[in-house]
Amino acid sequence: MAKFVTIGYGDQDGYDRTDTAVRNQAHAHDARLLEAGAVVGIAGAPVQVRNHDGAGTTVESGSFLSSTLPVAGFAIIEAETLEEAVHLASKTPCAVAQGVVEIWPLLESP
């Protein structure tokens, strides 16, 4: 099975506008993903780390990515194909609650 990193973007306003029954189904779906071995989490405050040319580490608060919606969470899921990963991500809270989910195939390091 292939692994995929998902990044969910969404905000409280979009979540609140989504019908409670739809949100509850999405949270139940996340619970099933966890039971199947997915790593799922809510995003905290990011930092940027640099160590250019091995000359010293610098750390800055803030994200490198920019979006109209904040990063809300992430998951590492397993699926046979990208299409299956899309199907799984389409039922998560960010996807159903007015947000968006990016899916990144996790490739092996050389």
Side-chain angles (χ1 to χ4, degrees):
M1 270 221 211
K3 291 186 180 183
F4 298 86
V5 175
T6 67
I7 303 171
Y9 299 84
D11 60 15
Q12 191 66 47
D13 180 56
Y15 183 83
D16 291 342
R17 287 182 301 160
T18 302
D19 182 84
T20 302
V22 173
R23 293 189 324 233
N24 289 343
Q25 289 174 350
H27 288 294
H29 176 71
D30 269 5
R32 288 189 298 275
L33 288 175
L34 280 167
E35 289 174 12
V39 177
V40 177
I42 297 171
V47 296
Q48 296 178 25
V49 177
R50 290 177 178 82
N51 186 8
H52 294 178
D53 298 318
T57 302
T58 61
V59 179
E60 295 179 44
S61 295
S63 68
F64 184 77
L65 301 171
S66 65
S67 170
T68 57
L69 293 170
V71 174
F74 68 92
I76 299 174
I77 63 172
E78 290 187 340
E80 291 290 336
T81 63
L82 177 60
E83 291 76 20
E84 181 184 2
V86 167
H87 176 73
L88 292 171
S90 72
K91 296 181 180 190
T92 62
C94 283
V96 302
Q98 317 310 310
V100 64
V101 178
E102 289 181 351
I103 301 174
W104 296 54
L106 188 56
L107 304 176
E108 292 185 28
S109 296

